[in-house]
Amino acid sequence: MTTTAPITSPTQPASNSAAPASTTDPADTGPDPVTAAQRRTTEIEEQIRVAPGQFRILTGDRPTGPLHVGHYFGTLAGRVRLQRAGVPVFVLIADYQVLTDRDVADNLAGHVDGLIADYLAAGLDPAVSTIFAHSAVSALNQLMLPFLSLVSVAELGRNPTVKAEIAAAGQPAVSGLMLTYPVHQAADILFCRANLVPVGQDQLPHLELTRAIARRFNDRYAGGSAFFPVPDALLSAAPNLLGTDGRKMSKSRGNTINLSDSPDETARLLRRARTDAVREISYDPAGRPEVSSLLLLAALCQGRAPAEIAAEIGSRGAAELKRAAIESVNEFLRPHRARRAELIADRGYLRSVLRAGNAVAAEVADQTLGEVRALMGTTY
Ligand code: TRP
């Protein structure tokens, strides 16, 4: 076994390479980064049960639109669980990051209010967790400058997630922010000395860069001490929920079941969902992805196993499957939607939550930046 200290990661290679997560080098003796992160996640889950106070979590979202059921089961529910387990949680609204793949951030304030309403409706408690927007925390942003000095242009250009986003955005030119936002993300994480970052696989290259920045800063300016923690990924087992068109569920594809949708909208969308021509319903994610995704959605909402629901539906076919999915989602989301509607009607309250979170984050960031400047010799 490994160490009990949560801030080091002996199962991950200590290299600074930004190799893609899928790289399998025959000369490599260690596990690939995804497998390593999965193993480490299992260890950390155990440590959280024993000593939640050792950890500090930073997690966040881009305010680009409404959250959907994939977000709920993939990240939101996990954040609430960690908060309830006693881990301090910082929830970042990454408003500057919206500008990576588009020139203009539309309806930013509306999306920010929607995020906060969903956070609170899902059970994040602003008295315990800190909800803030990074644009409002000046000292966090200043950290990006020394951090930029610790990375190479070549390293930024190799980031596989950034490359995929550049390809998907299809913009005529790649902005400096697109190339450097993973460094900003390091500031998001390290300003509050988070040592645990719940992420999906696509974020692992960013976390690897954050880890490199933390180590390099510690080596260059802090005499090799653990001034910044080297944070671990808490790999979220993102459920394989597909969009209603059978492709990856994604805001930009318009195939999502949103938490803010009405029950009627949910019913309409799910009735249109793609299935297949086999009448007997079975849970087979590889062979029958669309049918299995609907089963999984119903199962997550009911807290049961997808195969059990499949057996119940049996030969009653896709129409019955959709009926079950619609009822499960609407039933499960009913209390969330009721709370959300109340919250979104009180923008003053939502903004007061954000302002309070911004103030807490600013205090923490001022403290960290002060120490960073002292270490760098820029206090005059
Ligand atoms: N990149 C994340 C996303 O697209 C959002 C984000 C910004 C983030 N800063 C972060 C996530 C820091 C974790 C840690 O969803």
Side-chain angles (χ1 to χ4, degrees):
M1 275 309 288
T2 51
T3 172
T4 50
I7 57 165
T8 55
S9 182
T11 53
Q12 290 211 354
S15 89
N16 295 324
S17 92
S22 58
T23 294
T24 46
D25 180 350
D28 227 343
T29 47
D32 73 275
V34 175
T35 309
Q38 271 159 351
R39 273 192 214 153
R40 184 75 187 129
T41 293
T42 310
E43 290 173 17
I44 290 168
E45 289 286 358
E46 180 55 34
Q47 289 172 5
I48 288 172
R49 269 187 293 279
V50 180
Q54 285 181 287
F55 295 97
R56 175 174 282 190
I57 284 179
L58 183 289
T59 156
D61 302 291
R62 296 180 182 183
T64 52
L67 295 181
H68 54 64
V69 288
H71 293 121
Y72 189 92
F73 292 110
T75 58
L76 256 189
R79 293 173 190 173
V80 174
R81 179 177 66 83
L82 290 160
Q83 172 193 273
R84 292 193 177 139
V87 183
V89 182
F90 281 72
V91 184
L92 159 73
I93 297 178
D95 46 3
Y96 274 134
Q97 224 181 78
V98 173
L99 296 172
T100 51
D101 63 354
R102 65 202 79 193
D103 298 334
V104 179
D106 80 306
N107 189 24
L108 212 38
H111 294 325
V112 168
D113 288 339
L115 280 183
I116 301 170
D118 273 323
Y119 294 160
L120 302 187
L124 282 177
D125 177 358
V128 180
S129 298
T130 304
I131 299 169
F132 70 102
H134 60 187
S135 69
V137 184
S138 305
L140 179 161
N141 291 293
Q142 186 176 157
L143 283 177
M144 187 170 177
L145 288 170
F147 288 0
L148 277 169
S149 78
L150 296 168
V151 300
S152 73
V153 172
E155 185 171 34
L156 293 174
R158 278 199 301 269
N159 185 306
T161 298
V162 170
K163 278 194 196 165
E165 284 171 343
I166 289 170
Q171 290 176 303
V174 177
S175 75
L177 185 62
M178 175 63 107
L179 205 62
T180 57
Y181 86 80
V183 182
H184 195 237
Q185 197 155 321
D188 292 338
I189 294 167
L190 296 177
F191 94 92
C192 65
R193 294 195 166 82
N195 55 8
L196 207 50
V197 186
V199 287
Q201 286 189 17
D202 65 323
Q203 298 288 303
L204 286 178
H206 299 350
L207 197 68
E208 207 42 58
L209 187 72
T210 296
R211 293 164 56 82
I213 288 171
R215 286 193 206 98
R216 291 172 196 172
F217 187 94
N218 291 345
D219 287 346
R220 191 167 300 175
Y221 297 108
S225 74
F227 174 76
F228 282 123
V230 179
D232 274 303
L234 191 69
L235 208 55
S236 49
N240 195 15
L241 289 176
L242 301 176
T244 48
D245 55 0
R247 299 189 301 162
K248 182 178 174 336
M249 192 179 288
S250 146
K251 285 182 261 209
S252 58
R253 296 204 169 110
N255 62 3
T256 61
I257 307 289
N258 296 330
L259 304 180
S260 56
D261 288 347
S262 70
D264 284 349
E265 280 170 291
T266 295
R268 195 168 43 78
L269 288 164
L270 284 174
R271 248 182 250 119
R272 275 202 329 236
R274 257 184 83 119
T275 50
D276 58 36
V278 182
R279 183 153 185 90
E280 182 77 24
I281 296 302
S282 59
Y283 187 62
D284 171 11
R288 305 182 70 185
E290 298 96 349
V291 161
S292 299
S293 175
L294 289 171
L295 284 167
L296 179 60
L297 180 57
L300 288 166
C301 291
Q302 293 185 36
R304 296 169 66 201
E308 208 183 314
I309 297 175
E312 237 166 56
I313 297 171
S315 60
R316 285 183 293 158
E320 178 59 20
L321 169 60
K322 289 179 181 181
R323 198 201 55 72
I326 292 165
E327 192 184 302
S328 311
V329 172
N330 283 340
E331 194 55 38
F332 178 77
L333 286 181
R334 190 198 317 276
H336 180 97
R337 285 170 167 167
R339 281 193 297 271
R340 188 187 195 283
E342 268 176 44
L343 288 158
I344 207 75
D346 192 352
R347 306 260 167 171
Y349 173 68
L350 295 177
R351 295 292 166 86
S352 74
V353 166
L354 185 60
R355 275 197 300 272
N358 288 344
V360 170
E363 213 179 297
V364 173
D366 285 344
Q367 170 79 29
T368 303
L369 180 64
E371 293 170 28
V372 162
R373 293 183 59 196
L375 288 170
M376 296 182 72
T378 57
T379 42
Y380 315 107

PDB file of all heavy atoms in Angstrom, residues 262-289:
ATOM      1  N   SER A 262     -39.710  21.729 -17.256  1.00  0.00           N
ATOM      2  CA  SER A 262     -40.978  21.352 -16.625  1.00  0.00           C
ATOM      3  C   SER A 262     -41.196  19.856 -16.842  1.00  0.00           C
ATOM      4  O   SER A 262     -40.604  19.259 -17.750  1.00  0.00           O
ATOM      5  CB  SER A 262     -42.121  22.141 -17.248  1.00  0.00           C
ATOM      6  OG  SER A 262     -42.324  21.683 -18.575  1.00  0.00           O
ATOM      7  N   PRO A 263     -42.070  19.230 -16.033  1.00  0.00           N
ATOM      8  CA  PRO A 263     -42.378  17.813 -16.246  1.00  0.00           C
ATOM      9  C   PRO A 263     -42.874  17.551 -17.666  1.00  0.00           C
ATOM     10  O   PRO A 263     -42.538  16.515 -18.258  1.00  0.00           O
ATOM     11  CB  PRO A 263     -43.470  17.522 -15.219  1.00  0.00           C
ATOM     12  CG  PRO A 263     -43.269  18.541 -14.150  1.00  0.00           C
ATOM     13  CD  PRO A 263     -42.722  19.760 -14.827  1.00  0.00           C
ATOM     14  N   ASP A 264     -43.635  18.487 -18.222  1.00  0.00           N
ATOM     15  CA  ASP A 264     -44.136  18.305 -19.591  1.00  0.00           C
ATOM     16  C   ASP A 264     -43.000  18.307 -20.609  1.00  0.00           C
ATOM     17  O   ASP A 264     -42.988  17.511 -21.546  1.00  0.00           O
ATOM     18  CB  ASP A 264     -45.134  19.409 -19.958  1.00  0.00           C
ATOM     19  CG  ASP A 264     -46.485  19.169 -19.303  1.00  0.00           C
ATOM     20  OD1 ASP A 264     -46.685  18.062 -18.756  1.00  0.00           O
ATOM     21  OD2 ASP A 264     -47.317  20.090 -19.321  1.00  0.00           O
ATOM     22  N   GLU A 265     -42.056  19.221 -20.415  1.00  0.00           N
ATOM     23  CA  GLU A 265     -40.894  19.248 -21.331  1.00  0.00           C
ATOM     24  C   GLU A 265     -40.113  17.943 -21.238  1.00  0.00           C
ATOM     25  O   GLU A 265     -39.702  17.378 -22.266  1.00  0.00           O
ATOM     26  CB  GLU A 265     -39.966  20.415 -20.977  1.00  0.00           C
ATOM     27  CG  GLU A 265     -40.425  21.752 -21.512  1.00  0.00           C
ATOM     28  CD  GLU A 265     -39.594  22.900 -20.933  1.00  0.00           C
ATOM     29  OE1 GLU A 265     -39.715  23.188 -19.721  1.00  0.00           O
ATOM     30  OE2 GLU A 265     -38.834  23.496 -21.702  1.00  0.00           O
ATOM     31  N   THR A 266     -39.905  17.482 -20.034  1.00  0.00           N
ATOM     32  CA  THR A 266     -39.185  16.219 -19.848  1.00  0.00           C
ATOM     33  C   THR A 266     -39.908  15.089 -20.566  1.00  0.00           C
ATOM     34  O   THR A 266     -39.294  14.276 -21.273  1.00  0.00           O
ATOM     35  CB  THR A 266     -39.046  15.898 -18.338  1.00  0.00           C
ATOM     36  OG1 THR A 266     -38.230  16.903 -17.748  1.00  0.00           O
ATOM     37  CG2 THR A 266     -38.411  14.537 -18.112  1.00  0.00           C
ATOM     38  N   ALA A 267     -41.235  15.051 -20.419  1.00  0.00           N
ATOM     39  CA  ALA A 267     -42.031  13.994 -21.051  1.00  0.00           C
ATOM     40  C   ALA A 267     -41.897  14.078 -22.578  1.00  0.00           C
ATOM     41  O   ALA A 267     -41.682  13.071 -23.256  1.00  0.00           O
ATOM     42  CB  ALA A 267     -43.494  14.118 -20.638  1.00  0.00           C
ATOM     43  N   ARG A 268     -41.992  15.298 -23.086  1.00  0.00           N
ATOM     44  CA  ARG A 268     -41.920  15.485 -24.541  1.00  0.00           C
ATOM     45  C   ARG A 268     -40.549  15.023 -25.064  1.00  0.00           C
ATOM     46  O   ARG A 268     -40.459  14.295 -26.060  1.00  0.00           O
ATOM     47  CB  ARG A 268     -42.149  16.958 -24.858  1.00  0.00           C
ATOM     48  CG  ARG A 268     -42.455  17.277 -26.313  1.00  0.00           C
ATOM     49  CD  ARG A 268     -42.953  18.706 -26.487  1.00  0.00           C
ATOM     50  NE  ARG A 268     -42.199  19.680 -25.699  1.00  0.00           N
ATOM     51  CZ  ARG A 268     -41.004  20.158 -26.018  1.00  0.00           C
ATOM     52  NH1 ARG A 268     -40.405  19.756 -27.119  1.00  0.00           N
ATOM     53  NH2 ARG A 268     -40.385  21.024 -25.226  1.00  0.00           N
ATOM     54  N   LEU A 269     -39.492  15.425 -24.372  1.00  0.00           N
ATOM     55  CA  LEU A 269     -38.143  15.072 -24.822  1.00  0.00           C
ATOM     56  C   LEU A 269     -37.900  13.570 -24.743  1.00  0.00           C
ATOM     57  O   LEU A 269     -37.346  12.970 -25.674  1.00  0.00           O
ATOM     58  CB  LEU A 269     -37.103  15.802 -23.971  1.00  0.00           C
ATOM     59  CG  LEU A 269     -37.007  17.306 -24.229  1.00  0.00           C
ATOM     60  CD1 LEU A 269     -36.267  18.000 -23.090  1.00  0.00           C
ATOM     61  CD2 LEU A 269     -36.278  17.552 -25.550  1.00  0.00           C
ATOM     62  N   LEU A 270     -38.325  12.957 -23.667  1.00  0.00           N
ATOM     63  CA  LEU A 270     -38.057  11.524 -23.511  1.00  0.00           C
ATOM     64  C   LEU A 270     -38.921  10.690 -24.452  1.00  0.00           C
ATOM     65  O   LEU A 270     -38.506   9.630 -24.921  1.00  0.00           O
ATOM     66  CB  LEU A 270     -38.249  11.089 -22.053  1.00  0.00           C
ATOM     67  CG  LEU A 270     -37.104  11.501 -21.110  1.00  0.00           C
ATOM     68  CD1 LEU A 270     -37.443  11.169 -19.662  1.00  0.00           C
ATOM     69  CD2 LEU A 270     -35.794  10.819 -21.506  1.00  0.00           C
ATOM     70  N   ARG A 271     -40.119  11.163 -24.747  1.00  0.00           N
ATOM     71  CA  ARG A 271     -40.959  10.424 -25.702  1.00  0.00           C
ATOM     72  C   ARG A 271     -40.307  10.388 -27.088  1.00  0.00           C
ATOM     73  O   ARG A 271     -40.492   9.451 -27.853  1.00  0.00           O
ATOM     74  CB  ARG A 271     -42.354  11.072 -25.785  1.00  0.00           C
ATOM     75  CG  ARG A 271     -43.420  10.165 -25.203  1.00  0.00           C
ATOM     76  CD  ARG A 271     -44.814  10.761 -25.329  1.00  0.00           C
ATOM     77  NE  ARG A 271     -45.323  11.142 -24.011  1.00  0.00           N
ATOM     78  CZ  ARG A 271     -45.656  12.376 -23.663  1.00  0.00           C
ATOM     79  NH1 ARG A 271     -45.571  13.381 -24.513  1.00  0.00           N
ATOM     80  NH2 ARG A 271     -46.113  12.616 -22.456  1.00  0.00           N
ATOM     81  N   ARG A 272     -39.542  11.444 -27.377  1.00  0.00           N
ATOM     82  CA  ARG A 272     -38.872  11.515 -28.680  1.00  0.00           C
ATOM     83  C   ARG A 272     -37.531  10.785 -28.683  1.00  0.00           C
ATOM     84  O   ARG A 272     -36.850  10.735 -29.710  1.00  0.00           O
ATOM     85  CB  ARG A 272     -38.569  12.984 -29.005  1.00  0.00           C
ATOM     86  CG  ARG A 272     -39.686  13.747 -29.639  1.00  0.00           C
ATOM     87  CD  ARG A 272     -39.153  14.964 -30.410  1.00  0.00           C
ATOM     88  NE  ARG A 272     -37.941  15.557 -29.873  1.00  0.00           N
ATOM     89  CZ  ARG A 272     -37.827  16.849 -29.520  1.00  0.00           C
ATOM     90  NH1 ARG A 272     -38.831  17.663 -29.645  1.00  0.00           N
ATOM     91  NH2 ARG A 272     -36.678  17.322 -29.068  1.00  0.00           N
ATOM     92  N   ALA A 273     -37.097  10.305 -27.525  1.00  0.00           N
ATOM     93  CA  ALA A 273     -35.742   9.755 -27.407  1.00  0.00           C
ATOM     94  C   ALA A 273     -35.566   8.563 -28.341  1.00  0.00           C
ATOM     95  O   ALA A 273     -36.486   7.778 -28.570  1.00  0.00           O
ATOM     96  CB  ALA A 273     -35.455   9.346 -25.969  1.00  0.00           C
ATOM     97  N   ARG A 274     -34.367   8.441 -28.862  1.00  0.00           N
ATOM     98  CA  ARG A 274     -34.034   7.299 -29.730  1.00  0.00           C
ATOM     99  C   ARG A 274     -34.022   6.004 -28.941  1.00  0.00           C
ATOM    100  O   ARG A 274     -33.523   5.957 -27.823  1.00  0.00           O
ATOM    101  CB  ARG A 274     -32.617   7.500 -30.279  1.00  0.00           C
ATOM    102  CG  ARG A 274     -32.540   7.969 -31.685  1.00  0.00           C
ATOM    103  CD  ARG A 274     -31.081   7.996 -32.059  1.00  0.00           C
ATOM    104  NE  ARG A 274     -30.650   6.669 -32.459  1.00  0.00           N
ATOM    105  CZ  ARG A 274     -30.177   6.399 -33.670  1.00  0.00           C
ATOM    106  NH1 ARG A 274     -30.056   7.379 -34.554  1.00  0.00           N
ATOM    107  NH2 ARG A 274     -29.817   5.196 -33.998  1.00  0.00           N
ATOM    108  N   THR A 275     -34.547   4.952 -29.541  1.00  0.00           N
ATOM    109  CA  THR A 275     -34.379   3.616 -28.943  1.00  0.00           C
ATOM    110  C   THR A 275     -33.929   2.680 -30.072  1.00  0.00           C
ATOM    111  O   THR A 275     -33.201   3.110 -30.952  1.00  0.00           O
ATOM    112  CB  THR A 275     -35.695   3.105 -28.300  1.00  0.00           C
ATOM    113  OG1 THR A 275     -36.754   3.251 -29.235  1.00  0.00           O
ATOM    114  CG2 THR A 275     -36.010   3.871 -27.023  1.00  0.00           C
ATOM    115  N   ASP A 276     -34.358   1.404 -30.024  1.00  0.00           N
ATOM    116  CA  ASP A 276     -34.025   0.523 -31.145  1.00  0.00           C
ATOM    117  C   ASP A 276     -35.238  -0.339 -31.461  1.00  0.00           C
ATOM    118  O   ASP A 276     -36.301  -0.161 -30.879  1.00  0.00           O
ATOM    119  CB  ASP A 276     -32.765  -0.307 -30.846  1.00  0.00           C
ATOM    120  CG  ASP A 276     -32.919  -1.148 -29.581  1.00  0.00           C
ATOM    121  OD1 ASP A 276     -34.032  -1.648 -29.324  1.00  0.00           O
ATOM    122  OD2 ASP A 276     -31.924  -1.292 -28.848  1.00  0.00           O
ATOM    123  N   ALA A 277     -35.080  -1.274 -32.382  1.00  0.00           N
ATOM    124  CA  ALA A 277     -36.245  -2.002 -32.909  1.00  0.00           C
ATOM    125  C   ALA A 277     -36.562  -3.289 -32.145  1.00  0.00           C
ATOM    126  O   ALA A 277     -37.525  -3.981 -32.476  1.00  0.00           O
ATOM    127  CB  ALA A 277     -36.025  -2.319 -34.391  1.00  0.00           C
ATOM    128  N   VAL A 278     -35.751  -3.589 -31.127  1.00  0.00           N
ATOM    129  CA  VAL A 278     -35.995  -4.845 -30.394  1.00  0.00           C
ATOM    130  C   VAL A 278     -37.017  -4.602 -29.288  1.00  0.00           C
ATOM    131  O   VAL A 278     -36.838  -3.714 -28.451  1.00  0.00           O
ATOM    132  CB  VAL A 278     -34.675  -5.376 -29.772  1.00  0.00           C
ATOM    133  CG1 VAL A 278     -34.917  -6.694 -29.045  1.00  0.00           C
ATOM    134  CG2 VAL A 278     -33.620  -5.545 -30.857  1.00  0.00           C
ATOM    135  N   ARG A 279     -38.097  -5.370 -29.297  1.00  0.00           N
ATOM    136  CA  ARG A 279     -39.197  -5.095 -28.370  1.00  0.00           C
ATOM    137  C   ARG A 279     -38.836  -5.439 -26.912  1.00  0.00           C
ATOM    138  O   ARG A 279     -39.116  -4.675 -25.992  1.00  0.00           O
ATOM    139  CB  ARG A 279     -40.451  -5.887 -28.812  1.00  0.00           C
ATOM    140  CG  ARG A 279     -41.632  -5.574 -27.938  1.00  0.00           C
ATOM    141  CD  ARG A 279     -42.979  -5.754 -28.609  1.00  0.00           C
ATOM    142  NE  ARG A 279     -44.014  -5.304 -27.687  1.00  0.00           N
ATOM    143  CZ  ARG A 279     -44.468  -4.066 -27.628  1.00  0.00           C
ATOM    144  NH1 ARG A 279     -44.006  -3.149 -28.456  1.00  0.00           N
ATOM    145  NH2 ARG A 279     -45.388  -3.723 -26.744  1.00  0.00           N
ATOM    146  N   GLU A 280     -38.215  -6.605 -26.730  1.00  0.00           N
ATOM    147  CA  GLU A 280     -37.841  -7.042 -25.376  1.00  0.00           C
ATOM    148  C   GLU A 280     -36.780  -6.084 -24.819  1.00  0.00           C
ATOM    149  O   GLU A 280     -35.717  -5.915 -25.419  1.00  0.00           O
ATOM    150  CB  GLU A 280     -37.295  -8.473 -25.456  1.00  0.00           C
ATOM    151  CG  GLU A 280     -36.907  -9.093 -24.123  1.00  0.00           C
ATOM    152  CD  GLU A 280     -38.122  -9.572 -23.318  1.00  0.00           C
ATOM    153  OE1 GLU A 280     -39.177  -9.854 -23.925  1.00  0.00           O
ATOM    154  OE2 GLU A 280     -37.998  -9.643 -22.079  1.00  0.00           O
ATOM    155  N   ILE A 281     -37.067  -5.490 -23.688  1.00  0.00           N
ATOM    156  CA  ILE A 281     -36.130  -4.507 -23.121  1.00  0.00           C
ATOM    157  C   ILE A 281     -35.066  -5.219 -22.279  1.00  0.00           C
ATOM    158  O   ILE A 281     -35.396  -6.040 -21.419  1.00  0.00           O
ATOM    159  CB  ILE A 281     -36.889  -3.471 -22.263  1.00  0.00           C
ATOM    160  CG1 ILE A 281     -37.860  -2.664 -23.143  1.00  0.00           C
ATOM    161  CG2 ILE A 281     -35.923  -2.539 -21.538  1.00  0.00           C
ATOM    162  CD1 ILE A 281     -37.221  -1.926 -24.303  1.00  0.00           C
ATOM    163  N   SER A 282     -33.790  -4.897 -22.565  1.00  0.00           N
ATOM    164  CA  SER A 282     -32.705  -5.500 -21.792  1.00  0.00           C
ATOM    165  C   SER A 282     -31.619  -4.461 -21.554  1.00  0.00           C
ATOM    166  O   SER A 282     -31.479  -3.514 -22.340  1.00  0.00           O
ATOM    167  CB  SER A 282     -32.112  -6.694 -22.558  1.00  0.00           C
ATOM    168  OG  SER A 282     -31.628  -6.255 -23.815  1.00  0.00           O
ATOM    169  N   TYR A 283     -30.864  -4.650 -20.488  1.00  0.00           N
ATOM    170  CA  TYR A 283     -29.787  -3.710 -20.161  1.00  0.00           C
ATOM    171  C   TYR A 283     -28.480  -4.225 -20.739  1.00  0.00           C
ATOM    172  O   TYR A 283     -27.934  -5.219 -20.270  1.00  0.00           O
ATOM    173  CB  TYR A 283     -29.671  -3.540 -18.649  1.00  0.00           C
ATOM    174  CG  TYR A 283     -28.682  -2.456 -18.260  1.00  0.00           C
ATOM    175  CD1 TYR A 283     -28.899  -1.136 -18.648  1.00  0.00           C
ATOM    176  CD2 TYR A 283     -27.543  -2.759 -17.532  1.00  0.00           C
ATOM    177  CE1 TYR A 283     -28.004  -0.135 -18.307  1.00  0.00           C
ATOM    178  CE2 TYR A 283     -26.633  -1.762 -17.187  1.00  0.00           C
ATOM    179  CZ  TYR A 283     -26.872  -0.456 -17.579  1.00  0.00           C
ATOM    180  OH  TYR A 283     -25.983   0.534 -17.248  1.00  0.00           O
ATOM    181  N   ASP A 284     -28.004  -3.537 -21.781  1.00  0.00           N
ATOM    182  CA  ASP A 284     -26.827  -3.968 -22.516  1.00  0.00           C
ATOM    183  C   ASP A 284     -26.136  -2.713 -23.066  1.00  0.00           C
ATOM    184  O   ASP A 284     -26.310  -2.371 -24.237  1.00  0.00           O
ATOM    185  CB  ASP A 284     -27.298  -4.911 -23.655  1.00  0.00           C
ATOM    186  CG  ASP A 284     -26.174  -5.249 -24.623  1.00  0.00           C
ATOM    187  OD1 ASP A 284     -24.996  -4.945 -24.337  1.00  0.00           O
ATOM    188  OD2 ASP A 284     -26.494  -5.809 -25.700  1.00  0.00           O
ATOM    189  N   PRO A 285     -25.393  -2.001 -22.195  1.00  0.00           N
ATOM    190  CA  PRO A 285     -24.836  -0.698 -22.585  1.00  0.00           C
ATOM    191  C   PRO A 285     -24.021  -0.739 -23.872  1.00  0.00           C
ATOM    192  O   PRO A 285     -24.064   0.208 -24.658  1.00  0.00           O
ATOM    193  CB  PRO A 285     -23.969  -0.305 -21.392  1.00  0.00           C
ATOM    194  CG  PRO A 285     -24.528  -1.053 -20.245  1.00  0.00           C
ATOM    195  CD  PRO A 285     -25.061  -2.346 -20.803  1.00  0.00           C
ATOM    196  N   ALA A 286     -23.276  -1.824 -24.106  1.00  0.00           N
ATOM    197  CA  ALA A 286     -22.457  -1.866 -25.318  1.00  0.00           C
ATOM    198  C   ALA A 286     -23.311  -2.142 -26.551  1.00  0.00           C
ATOM    199  O   ALA A 286     -23.177  -1.479 -27.574  1.00  0.00           O
ATOM    200  CB  ALA A 286     -21.384  -2.949 -25.172  1.00  0.00           C
ATOM    201  N   GLY A 287     -24.221  -3.103 -26.461  1.00  0.00           N
ATOM    202  CA  GLY A 287     -25.014  -3.501 -27.614  1.00  0.00           C
ATOM    203  C   GLY A 287     -26.232  -2.623 -27.863  1.00  0.00           C
ATOM    204  O   GLY A 287     -26.647  -2.439 -29.001  1.00  0.00           O
ATOM    205  N   ARG A 288     -26.819  -2.089 -26.785  1.00  0.00           N
ATOM    206  CA  ARG A 288     -28.049  -1.296 -26.924  1.00  0.00           C
ATOM    207  C   ARG A 288     -27.912   0.012 -26.131  1.00  0.00           C
ATOM    208  O   ARG A 288     -28.566   0.187 -25.090  1.00  0.00           O
ATOM    209  CB  ARG A 288     -29.255  -2.111 -26.424  1.00  0.00           C
ATOM    210  CG  ARG A 288     -29.407  -3.456 -27.089  1.00  0.00           C
ATOM    211  CD  ARG A 288     -30.637  -4.180 -26.575  1.00  0.00           C
ATOM    212  NE  ARG A 288     -31.883  -3.542 -27.035  1.00  0.00           N
ATOM    213  CZ  ARG A 288     -33.107  -3.938 -26.643  1.00  0.00           C
ATOM    214  NH1 ARG A 288     -33.232  -4.952 -25.783  1.00  0.00           N
ATOM    215  NH2 ARG A 288     -34.182  -3.333 -27.093  1.00  0.00           N
ATOM    216  N   PRO A 289     -27.033   0.921 -26.612  1.00  0.00           N
ATOM    217  CA  PRO A 289     -26.714   2.106 -25.809  1.00  0.00           C
ATOM    218  C   PRO A 289     -27.925   2.994 -25.488  1.00  0.00           C
ATOM    219  O   PRO A 289     -28.042   3.474 -24.359  1.00  0.00           O
ATOM    220  CB  PRO A 289     -25.685   2.852 -26.669  1.00  0.00           C
ATOM    221  CG  PRO A 289     -25.754   2.248 -28.031  1.00  0.00           C
ATOM    222  CD  PRO A 289     -26.254   0.848 -27.853  1.00  0.00           C
TER     223      PRO A 289
END
